[in-house]
């Protein structure tokens, strides 16, 4: 087995006729067969359809046609994206018997139209409510860098499958941090684009005002290419030679593991940043996000909470019921606070190209304990890994979690935060950081063991 | 507002909701069954939500 290839390398080789898409898919399926029983990333593997699609791509190339910029690129999607013919479970038992989707989610359609080949669907926290991908129905997704540790969530299968080299590209969703958290713990790139930049059409919802389709890759080029194809509003704002970078302090530089906090400072320095910014309302904003999520999530699931409460994961069910019970005055307060914070954050982003903060408060926690240390207290990883990701989500701005180069230590990511619509600037900055040697995706040892 | 009112801490709406009778009535109104197991889990989550609301109230309350 060879080393995993990037999406852009696969596509250029397939388009040039140097590589057959059928061989790429065969290799992908072999890799999944070896590693997925250990990692528990996939909930469905579409072997026959993938081989059939690959054959069509190869036939197109042989006929002199161009199958598209993602020709032959295997990809997989969190199990909340509709896939024609499959039931969208959103990680739940409750939806397991729902009718299969009659068409693909719009973004899946776009990637397929560009030549990408859908390999399967991926594990997640039930109804995307958690930061751990501990799923009582489909299993706990394991971190490819240390299989005794969490991959993070809720898009844990999406992150772990890319980190382990099973696929070069996957789709996830980020409501409060569900792309950035697992990207950080698994050591890959994870993009939460501007809210609404990638259509959510055909995805199972959680919190409308926050739900954002995101992308996972092992390279910046792959991210740039996949984003251009997936998004509704591709844009071209480039990073200035000397970007104005600000380090978010206060809430974002307290509570977490020291080397993780230092990672953000490291990236800040690498980008030549000089100014530190404290947004004093961040802790309250995180609380607002927590309340708004519980409330809207609870209301959304009320029909099943009434009739099938015992079919939920109890930890998810009780959070949802508590949220559904919240008095309007509490939700209104959260709304008011969120509005003030969003205004403050957007105002700061008028003066800075990029703001920097850690993606997670710790490296990947142990699965058995399920805890992380915050300010000396051991707290639930499932609820708190999004401590630094959640407040930013409120503003709907694009955030790219980049993996710090750590030379064999557990991975950790840093959030690069820009004003709405400035994804291309984030890609340019990520390129600069890769070139400087501060940011790198390191393949887990188990990948070389199967190579 | 009188001086007395200003020094009395206001009872939070979630504190009120958590009173067993109120909570059972609210769950019944919502149509959600409340077994002992669910009650315990929901109460724990309401405690957490209450602490989050307190952080928001601290900011929003006039000083």
């Amino acid at each position: 087995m060879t080393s995993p290839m990037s999406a852009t390398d696969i596509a250029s080789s397939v388009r040039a006729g140097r590589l057959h898409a059928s061989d790429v898919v065969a290799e992908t399926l072999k890799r999944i067969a070896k590693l997925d029983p250990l990692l528990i990333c996939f909930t469905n593997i579409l072997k026959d359809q993938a081989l059939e699609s690959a054959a069509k791509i190869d036939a197109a190339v042989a006929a002199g046609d161009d199958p598209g910029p993602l020709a032959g690129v295997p990809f997989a999607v969190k199990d909340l994206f509709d896939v024609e013919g499959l039931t969208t479970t959103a990680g739940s038992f409750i939806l397991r018997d729902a009718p299969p989707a009659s068409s693909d989610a719009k973004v899946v359609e776009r990637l397929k139209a560009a030549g990408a080949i859908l390999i399967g669907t991926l594990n997640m926290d039930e109804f995307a409510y958690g930061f751990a991908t501990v799923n009582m129905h489909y299993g706990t997704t394991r971190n490819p860098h240390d299989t005794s540790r969490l991959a993070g969530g809720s898009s844990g299968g999406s992150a772990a499958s890319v980190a382990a080299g099973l696929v070069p590209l996957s789709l996830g969703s980020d409501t409060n941090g569900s792309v950035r958290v697992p990207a950080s713990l698994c050591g890959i790139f994870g993009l939460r684009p501007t809210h609404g930049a990638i259509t959510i059409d055909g995805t199972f919802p959680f919190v409308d005002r926050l739900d954002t389709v995101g992308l996972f890759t092992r390279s910046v080029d792959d991210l740039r290419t996949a984003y251009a194809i997936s998004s509704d509003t591709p844009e071209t704002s480039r990073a200035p030679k000397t970007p104005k970078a600000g380090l978010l302090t206060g809430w974002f530089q307290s509570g977490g593991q020291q080397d993780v906090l230092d990672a953000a400072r490291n990236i800040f320095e690498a980008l030549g940043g000089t100014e530190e910014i404290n947004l004093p309302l961040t802790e309250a904003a995180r609380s607002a996000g927590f309340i708004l999520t519980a409330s809207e999530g609870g209301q959304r699931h009320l029909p099943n909470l009434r009739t099938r409460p015992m079919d939920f994961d109890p930890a998810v069910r009780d959070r949802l019921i508590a949220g559904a019970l919240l008095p309007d005055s509490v939700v209104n307060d959260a709304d008011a606070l969120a509005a003030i914070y969003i205004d403050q954050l957007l105002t700061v982003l008028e003066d800075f190209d990029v703001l920097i903060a850690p993606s997670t408060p710790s490296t990947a926690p142990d699965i058995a304990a399920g805890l992380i240390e915050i300010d000396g207290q051991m707290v639930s990883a499932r609820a708190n890994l999004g401590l630094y990701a959640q407040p930013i989500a409120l503003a709907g701005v694009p955030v790219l979690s980049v993996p710090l180069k750590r030379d064999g230590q557990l991975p950790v990511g840093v959030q690069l935060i820009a004003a709405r619509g400035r994804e291309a600037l984030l890609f340019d900055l990520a390129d600069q950081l890769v070139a400087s040697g501060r940011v790198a995706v390191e393949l887990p040892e188990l990948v070389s063991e199967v190579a | 507002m009188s001086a007395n009112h200003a020094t009395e801490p206001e009872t939070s709406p979630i504190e009120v909701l958590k009173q067993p009778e109120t909570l059972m009535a609210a769950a019944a109104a919502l149509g959600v069954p409340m077994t002992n197991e669910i009650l315990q889990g929901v109460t724990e989550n309401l405690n957490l939500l209450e602490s989050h609301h307190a952080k928001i109230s601290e900011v929003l309350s006039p000083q």
Side-chain angles (χ1 to χ4, degrees):
Chain A
M1 220 175 266
T2 55
S3 284
M5 292 171 74
S6 72
T8 42
D9 283 349
I10 291 170
S12 61
S13 299
V14 168
R15 291 168 100 181
R18 294 192 301 270
L19 183 64
H20 289 122
S22 305
D23 292 337
V24 175
V25 169
E27 172 91 4
T28 298
L29 293 169
K30 213 186 289 178
R31 210 178 281 279
I32 291 169
K34 281 217 169 184
L35 290 181
D36 198 54
L38 181 64
L39 297 173
I40 313 179
C41 297
F42 280 82
T43 51
N44 288 287
I45 297 167
L46 301 167
K47 182 184 170 189
D48 293 342
Q49 283 125 295
L51 287 169
E52 199 178 306
S53 302
K56 283 182 187 163
I57 299 275
D58 289 336
V61 174
D65 297 333
D66 182 359
L70 290 177
V73 172
F75 78 108
V77 300
K78 187 176 184 175
D79 205 346
L80 54 64
F81 289 83
D82 284 350
V83 173
E84 186 180 352
L86 291 185
T87 294
T88 309
T89 70
S92 73
F93 176 81
I94 284 173
L95 295 178
R96 195 146 69 172
D97 299 324
S102 56
S103 59
D104 290 336
K106 193 65 102 188
V107 61
V108 173
E109 252 176 42
R110 285 183 183 176
L111 293 172
K112 281 182 170 179
I117 297 173
L118 182 63
I119 298 293
T121 58
L122 298 160
N123 199 18
M124 56 183 285
D125 286 291
E126 186 179 63
F127 292 123
Y129 208 174
F131 291 119
T133 312
V134 173
N135 188 304
M136 69 176 288
H137 315 296
Y138 304 101
T140 297
T141 296
R142 292 169 179 273
N143 194 309
H145 290 271
D146 178 346
T147 55
S148 70
R149 294 178 183 274
L150 292 171
S154 63
S155 310
S158 305
S161 60
V162 170
L166 305 183
V167 285
L169 167 68
S170 69
L171 297 180
S173 64
D174 187 316
T175 300
N176 285 298
S178 288
V179 164
R180 293 162 286 157
V181 168
S184 172
L185 301 191
C186 292
I188 57 172
F189 295 96
L191 174 70
R192 174 192 167 98
T194 305
H195 184 246
I198 299 180
T199 174
I200 58 166
D201 188 13
T203 64
F204 190 88
F206 184 12
V207 182
D208 290 340
R209 72 167 82 190
L210 300 173
D211 289 347
T212 305
V213 169
L215 302 162
F216 295 92
T217 64
R218 293 189 301 273
S219 87
V220 182
D221 270 353
D222 286 0
L223 200 53
R224 192 180 270 118
T225 304
Y227 178 72
I229 291 160
S230 307
S231 69
D232 287 315
T233 52
E235 55 78 63
T236 53
S237 77
R238 315 310 304 194
K241 273 194 180 148
T242 314
K244 190 174 177 192
L247 179 71
L248 290 177
T249 58
W251 175 257
F252 295 102
Q253 277 292 313
S254 62
Q257 206 174 297
Q258 191 56 51
D259 60 329
V260 170
L261 305 181
D262 292 345
R265 198 169 281 279
N266 176 331
I267 295 299
F268 170 64
E269 287 165 4
L271 291 175
T274 52
E275 285 190 54
E276 300 188 1
I277 306 118
N278 183 11
L279 294 169
L281 297 188
T282 302
E283 183 176 10
R286 191 248 173 170
S287 291
F290 213 94
I291 285 173
L292 294 170
T293 299
S295 171
E296 187 172 329
Q299 294 298 330
R300 182 176 305 285
H301 290 285
L302 257 184
N304 283 322
L305 292 169
R306 287 181 178 127
T307 56
R308 302 178 63 183
M310 296 308 169
D311 289 338
F312 283 82
D313 174 341
V316 173
R317 175 197 63 207
D318 298 346
R319 290 177 90 181
L320 290 171
I321 294 176
L325 285 164
L326 283 174
D328 287 348
S329 62
V330 171
V331 180
N332 292 342
D333 286 350
D335 251 333
L337 193 287
I340 298 169
Y341 186 71
I342 291 167
D343 192 49
Q344 287 188 357
L345 184 57
L346 295 183
T347 302
V348 170
L349 280 168
E350 286 174 10
D351 286 335
F352 287 86
D353 293 305
V354 63
L355 300 176
I356 293 153
S359 298
T360 47
S362 72
T363 49
D366 181 61
I367 290 173
L371 300 170
I372 54 173
E373 188 176 334
I374 301 295
D375 275 333
Q377 305 281 318
M378 297 310 289
V379 297
S380 156
R382 190 173 185 165
N384 290 291
L385 277 167
L387 219 57
Y388 302 140
Q390 191 160 16
I392 305 297
L394 290 168
V397 295
V399 190
L400 175 57
S401 180
V402 296
L404 205 75
K405 183 165 168 40
R406 301 257 293 172
D407 293 327
Q409 294 178 71
L410 283 171
V412 72
V414 171
Q415 298 182 88
L416 307 181
I417 305 155
R420 289 174 186 161
R422 300 194 81 188
E423 280 80 0
L425 174 140
L426 294 180
F427 302 149
D428 287 353
L429 293 179
D431 273 338
Q432 287 180 23
L433 289 166
V434 170
S436 75
R438 306 279 185 119
V439 160
V441 170
E442 292 169 39
L443 283 174
E445 273 179 26
L446 59 77
V447 175
S448 47
E449 282 164 18
V450 299
Chain B
M1 191 182 278
S2 73
N4 279 345
H5 275 115
T7 53
E8 277 172 23
E10 209 177 303
T11 310
S12 91
I14 300 180
E15 180 65 39
V16 174
L17 173 67
K18 282 191 319 186
Q19 301 306 312
E21 281 178 19
T22 315
L23 185 53
M24 294 307 278
L30 215 55
V32 176
M34 197 56 89
T35 62
N36 283 341
E37 180 202 340
I38 296 177
L39 179 64
Q40 191 186 335
V42 168
T43 305
E44 282 168 14
N45 278 286
L46 285 173
N47 287 336
L48 184 61
L49 289 164
E50 187 180 15
S51 70
H52 281 301
H53 185 237
K55 286 171 191 162
I56 294 170
S57 299
E58 223 169 86
V59 174
L60 295 179
S61 300
Q63 300 300 304

